[in-house]
Amino acid sequence: METELEQKNSHEQGKNGLLIAGLIIAMLFAALDGTIVGTAMPRIVGELGGLSLMTWLTTAYMLTSTAVVPIAGKLADLLGRRAIYVTGLIIFMVGSALSGLSQTMEQLIIFRAIQGIGGGVMMPMAMIIIGDLFSGRERAKWQGIFGGLYGLSSILGPQVGGWIVDYMSWEWVFYINLPVGILATIFIALGLKKHKVSGPIYFDIPGMLTMIIGVVSLLLALTFGGKDYAWGSWQTLSLFALALVSLIAFVLIELRSKDPILPVRYFRNRAFVTLNGIGFFMAVGMFGAVMFVPLFMQGVVGVSATDSGTIMTPMMITMIITSILGGQLVQKIGMKPQIYAGMLIMAIGFGLLMTMNLETTKWIATGYMMIIGLGIGLVMPLLTLGLQESFSKDELGVVTSSSQFFRQIGGTFGMTILGAVMNARTSDLLKSNLVPTLEKLPAGAHDFVTNMEAMISKDAQSIYSMLFSPEALNKIPKPILDSIVPIMKSSMVESLHSVFLWGLVFIVLGGLITFFLPKIKLSNEARSKKQEENSIKVDPEPVK
């Protein structure tokens, strides 16, 4: 009898080993995709043309992947992990193959959207499966490791993308996903058990449609508002109106649905609201660092684009280290104190970013980014872990994917809000400081002055692009250059200080709502079905 039991345990461990290997491979190649494609974009545009459409390569993927994340989590609960994960992998690989075969930029955008559907299915699945396999204490360790993999992808991505573009053709940026994806699919299909459906399944189609329309409309409005279209334009207002109507319809449908995609009752659960709120505000604030520090280094310090990118690498390394160590630390100090500590460290990092000036060196900026990375690594894995410990196994897919969903929405808000802060502050500073200097220039510089004033009125931030281009600066006579560049650089510093301040505000908000987080104890073993039915079906810790 013991021999049979040992054989069974050995077989299960072997399957789990295959499964973990498949999860790691799938997560790495999905996370790498964005950074690899970003590196290859100039070559892609050079061959396919369509420079004006370039941003859609990222936008199309972001729209479909974000919209599908919560739906994927619900379907994983209904139909089982294996069917949904393997489907997501196949969609991702089909989108990758079609992207590599693209002959025009329009085709590539459509195929990137298909790829995004697969990516959106894959994104939450690894964390859902980790939640299935392990107890709370083990999840803490594994989710730290998987969180670190995301950081690792941002370090490896540009190097892998650059190597592919230099030594192969850009199509291999997409084709490389096929052999890796097939391997991950085989491992995951072998490692995961087949889900046995008992009883009828209800698909909340009206909820899915209204959620997709609402989320996509909101993301489009945030992405193009203030850039491609004015905030008050009919295009932007129409998208916001469509998003509002669709999301209200979604809530009303979910209240009456037999089996809703995102049950409204979750929003009465303190742990659900608090953890997703922390994730949202942290994602909004994080973009203050991720997007704008390289801008500071290129425009103010004057380092190359490559060197400014390397500033992010130490941040990701510290994030990886603390993600892994944080999984062990949380067992000793508890979830709430660790989140407080992480948010405080991030806040200190943002405060230090606000001290950067014209004399700041690359190494000082790198040190500040490392501090922010320490804070992110302590907090990020706990957001999913806390949700998984607060809900039953039957609801694991929905609550796990909700964490990813709210962070992605927060990231989009961050890009929009902080970008708008940057542009508004830049416009005010350049109008008060640069325009008077321009008006004192000789009559021979009339055309130059007119162009500069038009840029300040229309898109003030675009003026900084001159600071990134030695060729553009070389075309300007030295006396004019000497009079305007110091003003432009000081305006950029002040504008970025405003951005970092707002980033700090959002991080502080995330820290403050941690106060409302209920005590979440990590389980020593996976819950049995009976325990779950008895303890979790009633909403614990309602919001007061």
Side-chain angles (χ1 to χ4, degrees), residues 165-205:
V165 168
D166 288 341
Y167 296 101
M168 304 167 82
S169 61
W170 66 264
E171 289 88 348
W172 278 96
V173 164
F174 301 105
Y175 293 152
I176 197 74
N177 291 330
L178 302 180
V180 182
I182 289 168
L183 186 64
T185 304
I186 292 169
F187 283 3
I188 287 166
L190 291 173
L192 278 174
K193 293 176 184 175
K194 189 176 180 182
H195 179 72
K196 291 178 183 176
V197 177
S198 58
I201 294 175
Y202 175 75
F203 293 103
D204 182 16
I205 302 296

Side-chain angles (χ1 to χ4, degrees), residues 45 83 118 173 187 210 288 297 332 420 445 451 502-503:
V45 171
V173 164
F187 283 3
T210 48
M297 297 310 296
K332 294 176 180 166
N451 288 336
W502 277 100

Side-chain angles (χ1 to χ4, degrees), residues 13-30:
Q13 285 175 0
K15 286 184 78 173
N16 284 351
L18 267 182
L19 180 55
I20 294 292
L23 294 179
I24 289 171
I25 294 167
M27 179 174 276
L28 252 184
F29 92 90

